[in-house]
Amino acid sequence: MTSTAQPTGSEGRKAHPEHLGHVIFITAAAAMGGFLFGYDSSVINGAVEAIRSRYDVGSALLAQVIAIALIGCAIGAATAGRIADRIGRIRVMQIASVLFTVSAVGSALPFALWDLAFWRIIGGFAIGMASVIGPAYIAEVSPSAYRGRLGSFQQAAIVIGIAVSQLVNWGILNLADGDQRGKIAGLEAWQWMLGVMVIPAVLYGLLSFAIPESPRYLISAGKVSRAKEVLAEVEGHTVNLDTRVTEIQEAMRREHKSSFKDLLGSKMGFLPIVWVGIGLSVFQQLVGINVAFYYSSALWQSVGIDPSASFFYSFTTSIINIIGTVIAMVFVDKIGRRPLALIGSAGMAISLALEAWAFSAKTAAGTLPPTEGTVALIAAHVFVLFFALSWGVVVWVFLGEMFPNKIRAAALGVAACAQWIANWAITASFPSLSDWNLSGTYVIYAVFALLSIPFVLKFVKETKGKALEEMG
């Protein structure tokens, strides 16, 4: 699943004002998959302790139930590109919508722990598909002058989904009088938290019928006249549509369907550029960002904060996440992807180190002294801010841009798959690591944040302002 060729003339470099609003609508509709990605990923935060109580499970097994969705994510991410090349980008969105809906209903009404785990895997498939199809589709319909900012819609939607899930969880908890297992209309509060996702899942499916198929896919399927109509929608009627179609067709003739073997080099297994993409994906997760979104409520409760306050802090963290993402969207096309990544790495390393220091003061009673507690809360919010204004956005933008046309589909799938595997490793290990040494766990995350700085300096090249055909 590769992205549209960009024209060499000025016509293709800038969106015409009368069409930019329509392009934004198309982008926002496609990014609804990102909203569900964020919502489904973080909504489990409100159910962790309730699941532990209801099924009487220890930290290790609980972590597997929480993290098992990420296995589905990896599979969905690895296969979405190939499926989209066969049946189209819009059909993949619709399949993901159905999977999100089924997962929400099943997760809200489980009859056993394994049953809940199964529905989380189904949701994981949908998340993985959305993680690939969203940025790829947006890159294919976006004029290059706005591609960075429009590509940022995916991450913006993800962080809004995270925030809404935490707000909904907090609201449901208050309806249940602060009890995660309190009954509301016959179901426990945590079941409502997981089931409410049906609403955005259905909306995603409906929106997919309101946006056009990717011009590049339409041309590959022989639907040239429809591709011209879509190109006129997103680039303006003054663009020479015949020239644009010819450019895309020539780009397609120069490439072939990417496959796994196309990613292989002679010495290091994968081609160097693929390793860079994998490295970006893995570092994004190894700093421990998803601990903040999967476990923050349980984490704050573990250091003596009551459930209602812990849910509220999870929500405020997600608001900071949105603020950081907006900052990144403003600057990603102005100062570039690489400088933002470096700024974020430095900020994350410092804030994670402060969290590690604060958690080292945890008392035998499981609480933090006032000073350390304040530092921990502030540092946690600062960490999320620096992640959001940097790695949260630029990694997705990089992955949508950095690969040569001939390997973009397969390389994006592999990089996204690596991201989900790293996410799984962090998510599955955190409960046991925190039982071992909470402060030491955050030291590990801080070290990865530090290591990401030389990685970016040595291996990552700036993609700001380049057409997709210039990559590689």
Side-chain angles (χ1 to χ4, degrees):
M1 181 177 56
T2 54
S3 300
T4 51
Q6 300 292 333
T8 56
S10 61
E11 287 181 334
R13 297 287 182 174
K14 296 183 179 179
H16 295 269
E18 68 271 19
H19 291 86
L20 186 57
H22 184 57
V23 174
I24 290 173
F25 168 76
I26 292 171
T27 302
M32 188 66 189
F35 177 92
L36 283 159
F37 171 170
Y39 195 103
D40 196 17
S41 295
S42 64
V43 71
I44 194 67
N45 188 5
V48 172
E49 292 305 309
I51 293 171
R52 186 198 300 269
S53 171
R54 176 162 174 170
Y55 297 107
D56 191 25
V57 295
S59 294
L61 182 56
L62 177 67
Q64 295 307 315
V65 174
I66 303 304
I68 198 168
L70 301 173
I71 302 300
C73 291
I75 297 172
T79 58
R82 301 295 293 170
I83 296 172
D85 279 343
R86 293 191 175 191
I87 66 175
R89 285 59 164 151
I90 300 300
R91 288 287 178 266
V92 171
M93 294 180 192
Q94 291 163 353
I95 292 170
S97 170
V98 171
L99 293 177
F100 276 124
T101 303
V102 170
S103 172
V105 174
S107 298
L109 303 171
F111 52 82
L113 190 63
W114 71 264
D115 174 41
L116 175 61
F118 173 77
W119 297 118
R120 285 189 52 71
I121 292 175
I122 296 298
F125 289 146
I127 294 173
M129 295 176 82
S131 74
V132 170
I133 198 63
Y137 174 85
I138 291 169
E140 292 182 352
V141 299
S142 298
S144 61
Y146 294 91
R147 197 176 60 235
R149 277 165 282 184
L150 293 174
S152 299
F153 272 46
Q154 173 79 355
Q155 181 64 18
I158 291 171
V159 299
I160 291 171
I162 291 170
V164 171
S165 73
Q166 300 311 303
L167 180 60
V168 169
N169 284 356
W170 184 54
I172 291 173
L173 184 71
N174 286 329
L175 287 175
D177 297 323
D179 183 0
Q180 290 164 264
R181 296 198 59 192
K183 290 294 184 70
I184 303 173
L187 295 178
E188 295 183 4
W190 69 273
Q191 294 177 277
W192 283 105
M193 293 175 188
L194 300 183
V196 167
M197 193 181 68
V198 166
I199 297 171
V202 171
L203 179 60
Y204 180 40
L206 294 175
L207 284 172
S208 70
F209 289 98
I211 60 178
E213 182 55 85
S214 157
R216 195 180 196 289
Y217 171 75
L218 290 170
I219 291 173
S220 72
K223 301 177 181 179
V224 175
S225 61
R226 176 55 183 155
K228 289 181 179 180
E229 293 174 7
V230 176
L231 286 168
E233 284 184 43
V234 299
E235 296 189 11
H237 292 283
T238 59
V239 171
N240 188 320
L241 299 178
D242 290 328
T243 299
R244 288 292 291 114
V245 169
T246 299
E247 288 170 342
I248 295 172
Q249 289 173 330
E250 288 178 354
M252 291 168 63
R253 278 195 291 268
R254 289 196 302 267
E255 62 192 55
H256 60 282
K257 294 291 184 181
S258 56
S259 63
F260 186 80
K261 68 179 182 180
D262 295 321
L263 309 182
L264 302 179
S266 58
K267 296 181 179 179
M268 299 181 295
F270 289 123
L271 295 169
I273 190 66
V274 179
W275 280 118
V276 174
I278 291 172
L280 285 167
S281 291
V282 170
F283 271 117
Q284 188 197 52
Q285 296 302 315
L286 294 184
V287 296
I289 185 60
N290 279 308
V291 167
F293 299 124
Y294 296 162
Y295 294 114
S296 61
S297 293
L299 172 63
W300 297 125
Q301 290 175 57
S302 76
V303 293
I305 295 175
D306 69 81
S308 182
S310 71
F311 272 57
F312 180 72
Y313 291 140
S314 295
F315 173 62
T316 58
T317 300
S318 64
I319 295 300
I320 294 296
N321 197 19
I322 293 175
I323 293 171
T325 301
V326 171
I327 293 171
M329 291 176 70
V330 170
F331 289 106
V332 68
D333 280 328
K334 292 184 178 180
I335 68 174
R337 291 73 161 132
R338 202 164 172 262
L340 279 180
L342 293 169
I343 291 168
S345 293
M348 288 189 296
I350 293 169
S351 54
L352 285 166
L354 286 171
E355 283 193 82
W357 172 80
F359 288 135
S360 69
K362 184 177 179 180
T363 67
T367 61
L368 292 179
T371 299
E372 284 80 356
T374 301
V375 170
L377 282 171
I378 294 173
H381 285 72
V382 171
F383 164 61
V384 171
L385 176 65
F386 274 99
F387 175 85
L389 65 80
S390 59
W391 285 75
V393 167
V394 299
V395 169
W396 291 110
V397 175
F398 267 131
L399 294 182
E401 295 179 337
M402 65 186 290
F403 301 115
N405 274 343
K406 66 179 181 179
I407 66 167
R408 185 168 291 119
L412 181 56
V414 167
C417 183
Q419 185 174 122
W420 290 117
I421 292 172
N423 190 341
W424 171 83
I426 293 297
T427 304
S429 64
F430 176 74
S432 296
L433 284 173
S434 62
D435 286 348
W436 160 69
N437 189 318
L438 183 58
S439 177
T441 302
Y442 275 82
V443 169
I444 294 171
Y445 300 155
V447 168
F448 281 122
L450 276 175
L451 291 175
S452 68
I453 295 175
F455 173 79
V456 171
L457 289 172
K458 183 171 177 62
F459 299 111
V460 180
K461 296 180 180 179
E462 183 60 73
T463 58
K464 170 190 170 186
K466 294 183 179 180
L468 294 180
E469 281 60 49
E470 297 175 48
M471 304 303 174

